[in-house]
Amino acid sequence: MSHNKNAAAVEQILRSSGVDVRKCMRCGKCTATCPAFDEMEYHPHQFVYMVEKGQIDKLAASPSIWHCLSCFACMERCPRQVEPAKLIEAVRLSVIREKGQNHLKPEDVPAMLDEDLPQQAITSAFRKYSK
């Protein structure tokens, strides 16, 4: 990704999320509370750092953006109110907009359900597609 395009991507993510990544002190409390930790290639504290360093292309290509439950536990646990989940949502939405399509369609969700799936996962699944 060219420097100008990358800088524009970072600016768009920061603007749409409203997150100040410079507040992060890398304590890892957000990651420690993440229920999807085991499923993610990049964890919440890494997401914040990668956005700060302009690594949007790596984040956009990562399946981690789709594994985030959007439960906002990371936001509740952060002592500096950094809000990693908002960054993940912003990257997810930028990927959807760039591709011009949804990653998850509502009609696909019922086939993915099982009795052990938490209700929160169903709610977050519907957050992952644009209307």
Side-chain angles (χ1 to χ4, degrees):
M1 186 180 278
S2 74
H3 177 70
N4 288 341
K5 186 177 178 185
N6 191 45
V10 171
E11 176 61 30
Q12 188 269 327
I13 297 301
L14 293 176
R15 187 176 53 249
S16 67
S17 69
V19 174
D20 182 356
V21 294
R22 297 169 298 171
K23 292 186 336 185
C24 181
M25 60 185 185
R26 316 230 193 307
C27 67
K29 289 183 179 183
C30 57
T31 296
T33 195
C34 179
F37 172 84
D38 292 338
E39 302 296 321
M40 299 176 81
E41 174 185 14
Y42 301 119
H43 303 114
H45 75 282
Q46 292 171 308
F47 238 87
V48 175
Y49 180 75
M50 292 172 79
V51 169
E52 182 179 5
K53 295 301 176 190
Q55 299 175 340
I56 304 300
D57 51 343
K58 286 175 87 173
L59 294 174
S62 172
S64 294
I65 63 173
W66 308 112
H67 292 176
C68 171
L69 297 173
S70 302
C71 67
F72 307 120
C74 57
M75 294 168 47
E76 293 295 321
R77 190 76 170 109
C78 180
R80 309 273 314 259
Q81 289 78 45
V82 175
E83 304 176 317
K86 286 186 178 181
L87 288 173
I88 295 170
E89 289 283 335
V91 172
R92 185 185 295 152
L93 288 174
S94 73
V95 168
I96 289 170
R97 288 181 185 129
E98 185 177 310
K99 291 182 178 181
Q101 60 184 1
N102 295 322
H103 178 74
L104 181 66
K105 294 179 178 59
E107 58 270 12
D108 296 339
V109 174
M112 295 182 223
L113 300 178
D114 69 35
E115 62 187 46
D116 296 327
L117 188 70
Q119 294 295 313
Q120 184 176 23
I122 298 166
T123 302
S124 69
F126 282 104
R127 287 185 182 146
K128 293 179 183 181
Y129 72 91
S130 61
K131 296 183 185 212

